[in-house]
Amino acid sequence: MENNNNNNSRTRIIFSGKAIVTFTVIIILVTVAVVLAIISSGKKPEEPKKEVITEVMLQEVIDVSELSTFEAVYNGVAKVYNKQKPTEIDYYVSYCSKIKAGIDFEHVKISVDNDKKKITATLPEVTITDVTVDITTLDYIFQNSAANNSTVAETAYKACIDDATIESRRQLDIYILAQQNAKNVITALITPFVSQLDNEYTLEVIVPEVEE
């Protein structure tokens, strides 16, 4: 009786051992099959094709209607001369004006070097795009009391516009800041667009020197 029990125990142990070995072999075979399938394919997952970037494409990106990239407040004093005696001043008029400066985005030159993955944007010169004078801010100092008539406001307003236009063209800071803002606008327009297509491209924005 004892021998029979021992034999049965051994049989159960051997059976369990075979089950474990068989299960292990199946796992190994499945793993090997997967590895062989990957190796035999010999192909890596295809990366999405990157679109070719062109000058025309980028020109459309920066096609904006606004030309002004900087606005400044300028306070000045204009001189109004006597029409009969051009060397004599009839009155002085102080004023408050707003000066807008910027570039024409249609004249931005774009070049693309796809081999070097480099984009170059060359900006045109900054120009004064608009001058406005707040007519409610006009304040007069008359040298000739006869000039204080019904046409004084119209004449003074035109003189202030002319004075603000001339003086703004002499303010280098207006040109420098407008140029810097234009550069920032170009960068902000192009960089996100290009990054979506191919983030390996670099952008260089070239600005002309501001002449004194």
Side-chain angles (χ1 to χ4, degrees), residues 28 34 49 52 67 91 147-148 165 192 198 203:
I28 293 173
V34 172
K49 293 182 179 180
V52 177
L67 303 182
Y91 56 91
N148 188 7
T165 302
D198 191 339
L203 170 65

Side-chain angles (χ1 to χ4, degrees), residues 55-56 58-69 102-111 121-125 127 129 182 185-186 189:
E55 286 88 351
V56 174
L58 296 177
Q59 202 70 50
E60 291 178 355
V61 171
I62 65 171
D63 184 17
V64 293
S65 57
E66 293 184 3
L67 303 182
S68 298
T69 56
I103 65 170
D104 189 340
F105 284 92
E106 290 185 358
H107 293 161
V108 176
K109 295 180 181 179
I110 302 288
S111 63
T122 304
L123 306 190
E125 292 184 355
T127 59
T129 58
V185 169
I186 292 294
L189 289 172

Side-chain angles (χ1 to χ4, degrees), residues 5 7-17:
N5 290 336
N7 290 335
N8 290 335
S9 297
R10 289 175 184 174
T11 302
R12 284 195 294 272
I13 292 172
I14 293 171
F15 178 79
S16 299

